[in-house]
Amino acid sequence: MRGRAGPFGSGLVLDGSPWPLLWACLVSFGLSSLQQACPPRPLQAKVPGTCLLTIRVLQAHGLPSKDLVTPSDCYVSLWLPTASSHRLQTRTVKNSRNPVWNQSFRFRIHSQLKNVLQLQVFDQDLLTSDDPMLSVLFDLGTLQAGDFRRESFSLNPQGEERLEVEFRLQRLTDCAEQLFSNGILVARELSCLHVRLEEAGDQKQSEGRVQLVVPGSCEGQHEASVGADPFCFHCPACWEQELGILLQDAPQEQLKVPLRALPSGQVVRLVFPTSQEPLMRVELRKEEGPRELAVRLGCGPCAEEQAFLSRRKRVVARALKQALQLDDDLQEDEIPVVAVMATGGGIRAMVSLYGQLAGLRELGLLDCISYITGASGSTWALANLYEDPEWSQKDLAGPTATLKTQVTKSKLGVLAPSHLQRYWQELAERARQGHPTCFTDLWALISEALLHDEPHDHTLSAQREALSHGQNPLPIYCALNTKEKNLTTFEFGEWCEFSPYEVGFPKYGAFIPSELFGSEFFMGRLTKRLPESRICFLEGIWSNLYAANLQDSLYWASEPSQFWDRWAQDRATLDKEQVPLLKIEETPTGAGRIAEFFTDLLTRRPLAQATHNFLRGLHFHKDYFHHPHFSTWKATKLDGLPNQLTPAEPHLCLLDVGYLINTSFPPLLRPTRDVDLILSLDYNLGGAFQQLQLLGRLCQAQGIPFPPISPSPEEQRQPRECHLFLDPACPDAPAVLHFPLVDGSFREYEAPGIPRPPEEKAAGEVNLSSSDSPYHYSKLTYSPEDADKLLCLTHYNICNNRERLLEALRGALQRRRGRHQPQ
């Protein structure tokens, strides 16, 4: 297998040789390290495997009547998103419980894709929406080239309702296609169609508007005017598509042009024979789309992150040698990967993280850290700190003083008319640039005003300067992607990570450069680049409090562990050996429609966040579900239904991870990052181990190496400042040194080993109650005394556990050495 890395990383290209089969076998045995050791490259060879699928919808039997008297008027809808942009349908058969259609449909499919056909029987209704009667999902991967098969799909094994369909699959030997894949997602060839409208003759230019439509393209439809600049459609090259041109003033007049009939690279001019004057000339030019992907398909860290780690190891090695008083220099493969994990918690999390990072720096241990992950409020602290490229090499007294000024100032001015006017002006400019409009952007600007006196022009990609010579840990910010409606966060949630280098989904092995987040993509290619958003708009995503649905609100209002338990028990898991090849879907009955209404009421997110989806248009590899990285953090059986997963959505719906588990652990648990020790900084009020235990149970369910979280009853009642969790039987599980937000010995000591004088006792009393604490997440303004107490408490808890930290670092070093000793 030849290999080289492209400018955006690497991906597997299937070339028709035995390599695809070998790769699939290796993946099924979990040998993902091959991909990292020898990253495959995009090949120019075309991939055979295109087949002609003929589907003949025969008949149905025993369909229910829509009332007691009149039989149903039925038709069948066919939806195959890997082969067509259209939902095709049969004719309607009137007044029959046993309709016969006998209609054939043809699709070009590729055998390397996960082709899932949806067949639906509808009862046509002229007054209301058509009623679904039967829905079938059929995996076409069960067919082999040359097969002729007749299937009878039954809604109920005991019932008589069934649909009969014939399938014929024939290999097309003269068709091949270039595919890019990482074993999970597949990018196909792309075509570009440039369209320009001109007037024929010398008549005065018309002011009429024209609608251009290419179904299945990235753009879908576009309104244009005669004489305007050319417009470009991006669409899959392999599909049988056509351009539709409609006059808005005369919709009955339209022109349709099959794209396959256009010669590639040549200009074709047509005259639209309209009944109106002046006539309109259509200029068309079809060409190949970009070959290189702008989306990196790969499950390991990007080349920039690997280069950073190499630079950071030199800093970590010096810091560890000094902290642990080692005699000899550390070899590169001996250096442990140590990370800081910070939870969310609003202003409380931001202030606490400042205090703890100052403590680590005072102990000389901040340079031992390679990664820092944050969620919700802790991302505010990281975004502030990384504006200074040398922040961890300086005294944090200055940034801390600035922080105190911001968290103690009055927040009433953020809604002043002058501020509101500025917000609307910037939101209008974003909309003009092409960003989807959503309430989260307004929240982002308000939260920026809460934490800063003036807008900051800093961006996420600008933080690369703070990593240029390994001088700071690599920051990773976490968000959760979910569905805008119909599913709760517990039913579907995917972890999304943001770093100065990349933004992406580890679950899919798909990443883009951070400066391209928010731009428009299709089939892995960049179709419209938008200006990079200021980091405040990302902070609005990471701390998105306004994408909650009623179900999420019930979770927050109840005891989280009990609520999570109920959902976890009811949630169906999907075993990799039980991927559904055929699924019959229940259709809503009268009672089902009532339940559907309440489900919609509970799950709809009225203020959902919206960002252009950089996975849009990508298809799934036929063996995607068996890929070892795809199973990580999968949520429900929806993962077995590729037509309903994130690449099918036009927009992402990103929100605060606290709607599921208040943690930023997931990026550190990716096996490709190989983290040895995680300093867990937990800012939850009450339940010192609750979120960590929820995470541990999720890891156990998903087979992710993680130490058991089993504090003693005494530790549960009165948690200490620091707890170490290990799993000696699992060398792949990181050690976790857990720092809950507690005020144990801080009440008695103003600094480690220095008792607090009687007149300073009040300074040691920190109210961390989950009900009436001044640090509740809803509190946006702290008193100077409360801000000082929280900063001092978190700083003290780190410094007071110096020996526990050094002991954990020694353990991480020993385990790293043990793992790399020759067997």
Side-chain angles (χ1 to χ4, degrees), residues 164-165 211 271 297 350 393 478 485 588 619 730:
E164 295 185 2
V165 183
Q211 187 177 80
V271 175
L297 297 180
M350 180 174 66
Q393 307 304 311
C478 294
K485 56 185 179 180
H619 296 313
C730 181

Side-chain angles (χ1 to χ4, degrees), residues 44-208:
Q44 298 304 315
K46 299 283 187 174
V47 186
T50 304
C51 297
L52 177 63
L53 171 69
T54 303
I55 302 173
R56 189 179 184 189
V57 182
L58 300 174
Q59 58 191 339
H61 298 276
L63 296 180
S65 300
K66 58 183 175 182
D67 53 48
L68 296 177
V69 179
T70 309
S72 301
D73 303 332
C74 295
Y75 66 89
V76 180
S77 167
L78 300 89
W79 173 229
L80 184 55
T82 53
S84 174
S85 59
H86 301 278
R87 290 180 182 269
L88 307 179
Q89 69 180 59
T90 65
R91 66 181 179 276
T92 301
V93 176
K94 301 285 188 179
N95 300 325
S96 176
R97 296 189 62 219
N98 304 291
V100 177
W101 295 283
N102 241 351
Q103 283 186 257
S104 296
F105 302 86
R106 291 177 174 81
F107 301 90
R108 286 171 176 258
I109 67 173
H110 202 289
S111 61
Q112 294 298 322
L113 305 182
K114 190 70 170 178
N115 300 294
V116 178
L117 171 70
Q118 183 179 35
L119 294 164
Q120 289 181 287
V121 181
F122 284 92
D123 178 12
Q124 189 177 62
D125 197 317
L126 299 179
L127 299 179
T128 63
S129 59
D130 298 344
D131 297 321
M133 303 178 68
L134 172 67
S135 183
V136 176
L137 292 175
F138 182 61
D139 186 353
L140 298 171
T142 60
L143 301 174
Q144 300 293 327
D147 279 359
F148 177 80
R149 186 188 301 179
R150 181 167 179 159
E151 295 281 354
S152 181
F153 302 112
S154 175
L155 176 62
N156 186 342
Q158 286 75 38
E160 61 175 358
E161 304 96 336
R162 66 183 189 274
L163 174 68
E164 295 185 2
V165 183
E166 285 182 352
F167 298 92
R168 182 187 296 274
L169 192 65
Q170 300 168 282
R171 187 177 300 280
L172 299 176
T173 57
D174 59 340
C175 296
E177 186 181 354
Q178 185 177 2
L179 302 179
F180 296 78
S181 179
N182 60 358
I184 300 173
L185 295 177
V186 178
R188 310 179 74 173
E189 291 183 15
L190 207 61
S191 287
C192 294
L193 177 67
H194 300 272
V195 183
R196 182 182 179 89
L197 304 178
E198 299 177 338
E199 291 182 352
D202 300 326
Q203 297 97 330
K204 180 181 178 181
Q205 180 170 321
S206 170
E207 296 181 357

Side-chain angles (χ1 to χ4, degrees), residues 534-555:
R534 297 193 297 115
I535 200 168
C536 80
F537 291 104
L538 302 185
E539 293 176 279
I541 292 174
W542 304 329
S543 59
N544 184 3
L545 303 175
Y546 300 99
N549 52 38
L550 286 179
Q551 192 72 70
D552 294 330
S553 301
L554 289 173
Y555 163 68

Side-chain angles (χ1 to χ4, degrees), residues 271-287:
V271 175
F272 194 160
T274 66
S275 60
Q276 304 176 7
E277 294 291 342
L279 300 178
M280 183 174 64
R281 181 186 295 119
V282 182
E283 184 177 286
L284 305 175
R285 179 168 56 86
K286 186 180 75 171
E287 62 183 14

Side-chain angles (χ1 to χ4, degrees), residues 48 86 105 126 146 169 206 267 310 319 331 381 396 474 483 489 519 570 589 746 785 800 815:
H86 301 278
F105 302 86
L126 299 179
L169 192 65
S206 170
V267 175
S310 180
Q331 301 300 312
L396 294 183
L474 174 66
K483 297 288 188 179
T489 309
S519 294
D570 295 339
T589 60
F746 181 71
E785 295 78 15
N800 196 45
R815 286 191 300 276

Side-chain angles (χ1 to χ4, degrees), residues 18 23-24 188 400 505 773 805:
W23 176 264
R188 310 179 74 173
T400 302
F505 291 94
S773 172
L805 283 161

